Amino acid sequence: MSETFAALANRTRRAILARLVEGEANVNDLAEPFDMTLPAISKHIKVLERAGLVVRGQRAQYRPCSLDAAPLEEISTWAEQYRPIWEARFDRMNDYLTQLQPQDRENVRDA
Amino acid sequence: MSETFAALANRTRRAILARLVEGEANVNDLAEPFDMTLPAISKHIKVLERAGLVVRGQRAQYRPCSLDAAPLEEISTWAEQYRPIWEARFDRMNDYLTQLQPQDRENVRDA
């Protein structure tokens, strides 16, 4: 899971994953929206591949990249363990707003 | 969000967050389960603090650490965007198993 988190700790790599939701793409396609060299993009793709987030096709000349979302499910499941914590925080904020007088409440909301 | 992902890309730091679910703790408490020096643990805590996952108390001698799960909610929301992708994958596997003859299905399951 450390490898998945490390792969996701980069805006370009997250943008590549978002692009792959639309379907498979080759390195040139993936490089297109970025002001980056092809080797730089290839390096990002290799990091995503090692983390199991990107799979390369096997066709000889054309090895398109596609998304494997399985590691993202693992990340989501891991983060969801903490849902009671962030919801408790939200509930406390809600209780606080409910306890305020209507006048104060408006001030808080306008702040 | 890159900073949050980078902070989570380490097993010890994830274990520190899990410990803080039980309540606030000082650096000594947090170091206890690990075979690590206090400075090494402090360094991990600083990474978590910079990512907004850990908050330090303000009391003079005793500055306990507590968990702030807000960045984890952000991570979860981000990963959940990909749920249709991993669910489609699961559905395809299910369709495949349903289409197999009962005999083949047992072979797949036993494999």
mmCIF file of all heavy atoms in Angstrom, chain A residues 43-59:
data_model
loop_
_atom_site.group_PDB
_atom_site.id
_atom_site.type_symbol
_atom_site.label_atom_id
_atom_site.label_comp_id
_atom_site.label_asym_id
_atom_site.label_seq_id
_atom_site.Cartn_x
_atom_site.Cartn_y
_atom_site.Cartn_z
ATOM 1 N N LYS A 43 8.592 7.860 -17.291
ATOM 2 C CA LYS A 43 9.042 7.579 -15.926
ATOM 3 C C LYS A 43 7.826 7.560 -14.963
ATOM 4 O O LYS A 43 7.715 6.664 -14.124
ATOM 5 C CB LYS A 43 10.039 8.664 -15.506
ATOM 6 C CG LYS A 43 11.123 8.152 -14.570
ATOM 7 C CD LYS A 43 12.182 9.216 -14.348
ATOM 8 C CE LYS A 43 12.808 9.055 -12.971
ATOM 9 N NZ LYS A 43 13.745 10.147 -12.654
ATOM 10 N N HIS A 44 6.944 8.551 -15.139
ATOM 11 C CA HIS A 44 5.724 8.574 -14.309
ATOM 12 C C HIS A 44 4.883 7.308 -14.543
ATOM 13 O O HIS A 44 4.351 6.728 -13.600
ATOM 14 C CB HIS A 44 4.879 9.812 -14.629
ATOM 15 C CG HIS A 44 5.390 11.072 -13.988
ATOM 16 N ND1 HIS A 44 5.701 11.148 -12.648
ATOM 17 C CD2 HIS A 44 5.619 12.311 -14.501
ATOM 18 C CE1 HIS A 44 6.108 12.381 -12.364
ATOM 19 N NE2 HIS A 44 6.079 13.104 -13.464
ATOM 20 N N ILE A 45 4.794 6.908 -15.830
ATOM 21 C CA ILE A 45 3.999 5.711 -16.146
ATOM 22 C C ILE A 45 4.617 4.478 -15.486
ATOM 23 O O ILE A 45 3.900 3.627 -14.955
ATOM 24 C CB ILE A 45 3.860 5.543 -17.680
ATOM 25 C CG1 ILE A 45 3.015 6.696 -18.247
ATOM 26 C CG2 ILE A 45 3.232 4.190 -18.043
ATOM 27 C CD1 ILE A 45 2.990 6.779 -19.759
ATOM 28 N N LYS A 46 5.950 4.406 -15.478
ATOM 29 C CA LYS A 46 6.626 3.251 -14.843
ATOM 30 C C LYS A 46 6.305 3.194 -13.348
ATOM 31 O O LYS A 46 6.129 2.111 -12.797
ATOM 32 C CB LYS A 46 8.143 3.322 -15.075
ATOM 33 C CG LYS A 46 8.521 2.841 -16.468
ATOM 34 C CD LYS A 46 9.932 2.260 -16.521
ATOM 35 C CE LYS A 46 10.238 1.783 -17.933
ATOM 36 N NZ LYS A 46 10.399 2.912 -18.893
ATOM 37 N N VAL A 47 6.263 4.354 -12.694
ATOM 38 C CA VAL A 47 5.917 4.386 -11.257
ATOM 39 C C VAL A 47 4.492 3.853 -11.062
ATOM 40 O O VAL A 47 4.236 3.045 -10.151
ATOM 41 C CB VAL A 47 6.063 5.820 -10.677
ATOM 42 C CG1 VAL A 47 5.582 5.878 -9.226
ATOM 43 C CG2 VAL A 47 7.505 6.306 -10.771
ATOM 44 N N LEU A 48 3.581 4.278 -11.929
ATOM 45 C CA LEU A 48 2.190 3.813 -11.841
ATOM 46 C C LEU A 48 2.089 2.312 -12.132
ATOM 47 O O LEU A 48 1.300 1.604 -11.503
ATOM 48 C CB LEU A 48 1.304 4.603 -12.819
ATOM 49 C CG LEU A 48 1.115 6.088 -12.485
ATOM 50 C CD1 LEU A 48 0.484 6.835 -13.658
ATOM 51 C CD2 LEU A 48 0.253 6.257 -11.225
ATOM 52 N N GLU A 49 2.914 1.847 -13.076
ATOM 53 C CA GLU A 49 2.936 0.419 -13.417
ATOM 54 C C GLU A 49 3.423 -0.415 -12.225
ATOM 55 O O GLU A 49 2.817 -1.431 -11.891
ATOM 56 C CB GLU A 49 3.912 0.211 -14.580
ATOM 57 C CG GLU A 49 3.266 -0.375 -15.823
ATOM 58 C CD GLU A 49 4.312 -0.687 -16.878
ATOM 59 O OE1 GLU A 49 5.055 0.252 -17.280
ATOM 60 O OE2 GLU A 49 4.392 -1.855 -17.279
ATOM 61 N N ARG A 50 4.504 0.044 -11.595
ATOM 62 C CA ARG A 50 5.049 -0.702 -10.451
ATOM 63 C C ARG A 50 4.035 -0.776 -9.310
ATOM 64 O O ARG A 50 3.997 -1.752 -8.572
ATOM 65 C CB ARG A 50 6.348 -0.049 -9.948
ATOM 66 C CG ARG A 50 7.586 -0.545 -10.693
ATOM 67 C CD ARG A 50 8.842 -0.258 -9.892
ATOM 68 N NE ARG A 50 9.029 1.176 -9.676
ATOM 69 C CZ ARG A 50 9.657 1.991 -10.520
ATOM 70 N NH1 ARG A 50 10.201 1.518 -11.626
ATOM 71 N NH2 ARG A 50 9.781 3.281 -10.249
ATOM 72 N N ALA A 51 3.209 0.267 -9.187
ATOM 73 C CA ALA A 51 2.193 0.289 -8.129
ATOM 74 C C ALA A 51 0.949 -0.499 -8.543
ATOM 75 O O ALA A 51 -0.016 -0.579 -7.774
ATOM 76 C CB ALA A 51 1.831 1.731 -7.788
ATOM 77 N N GLY A 52 0.949 -1.050 -9.756
ATOM 78 C CA GLY A 52 -0.195 -1.850 -10.217
ATOM 79 C C GLY A 52 -1.382 -1.017 -10.664
ATOM 80 O O GLY A 52 -2.477 -1.546 -10.850
ATOM 81 N N LEU A 53 -1.173 0.295 -10.838
ATOM 82 C CA LEU A 53 -2.281 1.177 -11.225
ATOM 83 C C LEU A 53 -2.427 1.276 -12.737
ATOM 84 O O LEU A 53 -3.486 1.648 -13.244
ATOM 85 C CB LEU A 53 -2.056 2.580 -10.637
ATOM 86 C CG LEU A 53 -2.248 2.688 -9.123
ATOM 87 C CD1 LEU A 53 -1.509 3.890 -8.569
ATOM 88 C CD2 LEU A 53 -3.731 2.771 -8.781
ATOM 89 N N VAL A 54 -1.351 0.992 -13.446
ATOM 90 C CA VAL A 54 -1.371 1.028 -14.910
ATOM 91 C C VAL A 54 -0.865 -0.317 -15.424
ATOM 92 O O VAL A 54 0.088 -0.878 -14.877
ATOM 93 C CB VAL A 54 -0.517 2.202 -15.450
ATOM 94 C CG1 VAL A 54 -0.127 1.998 -16.909
ATOM 95 C CG2 VAL A 54 -1.273 3.524 -15.292
ATOM 96 N N VAL A 55 -1.538 -0.822 -16.447
ATOM 97 C CA VAL A 55 -1.136 -2.078 -17.090
ATOM 98 C C VAL A 55 -0.811 -1.760 -18.547
ATOM 99 O O VAL A 55 -1.534 -0.983 -19.179
ATOM 100 C CB VAL A 55 -2.285 -3.119 -17.002
ATOM 101 C CG1 VAL A 55 -1.847 -4.455 -17.584
ATOM 102 C CG2 VAL A 55 -2.733 -3.284 -15.566
ATOM 103 N N ARG A 56 0.302 -2.305 -19.069
ATOM 104 C CA ARG A 56 0.677 -2.100 -20.469
ATOM 105 C C ARG A 56 0.199 -3.275 -21.298
ATOM 106 O O ARG A 56 0.318 -4.431 -20.866
ATOM 107 C CB ARG A 56 2.211 -1.998 -20.618
ATOM 108 C CG ARG A 56 2.877 -0.900 -19.818
ATOM 109 C CD ARG A 56 2.480 0.486 -20.248
ATOM 110 N NE ARG A 56 2.843 0.809 -21.608
ATOM 111 C CZ ARG A 56 3.952 1.454 -21.972
ATOM 112 N NH1 ARG A 56 4.815 1.844 -21.061
ATOM 113 N NH2 ARG A 56 4.177 1.731 -23.234
ATOM 114 N N GLY A 57 -0.332 -2.979 -22.510
ATOM 115 C CA GLY A 57 -0.751 -4.033 -23.438
ATOM 116 C C GLY A 57 0.441 -4.821 -23.939
ATOM 117 O O GLY A 57 1.590 -4.401 -23.774
ATOM 118 N N GLN A 58 0.162 -5.955 -24.569
ATOM 119 C CA GLN A 58 1.240 -6.859 -24.988
ATOM 120 C C GLN A 58 1.532 -6.805 -26.485
ATOM 121 O O GLN A 58 2.406 -7.512 -26.967
ATOM 122 C CB GLN A 58 0.897 -8.308 -24.578
ATOM 123 C CG GLN A 58 0.814 -8.506 -23.067
ATOM 124 C CD GLN A 58 2.112 -8.186 -22.337
ATOM 125 O OE1 GLN A 58 3.188 -8.353 -22.884
ATOM 126 N NE2 GLN A 58 2.019 -7.706 -21.113
ATOM 127 N N ARG A 59 0.753 -5.967 -27.249
ATOM 128 C CA ARG A 59 0.962 -5.931 -28.700
ATOM 129 C C ARG A 59 2.342 -5.356 -29.031
ATOM 130 O O ARG A 59 2.747 -4.342 -28.438
ATOM 131 C CB ARG A 59 -0.130 -5.079 -29.363
ATOM 132 C CG ARG A 59 -1.428 -5.880 -29.530
ATOM 133 C CD ARG A 59 -2.583 -4.965 -29.852
ATOM 134 N NE ARG A 59 -3.234 -4.477 -28.647
ATOM 135 C CZ ARG A 59 -4.114 -3.482 -28.625
ATOM 136 N NH1 ARG A 59 -4.411 -2.847 -29.736
ATOM 137 N NH2 ARG A 59 -4.678 -3.118 -27.489
#
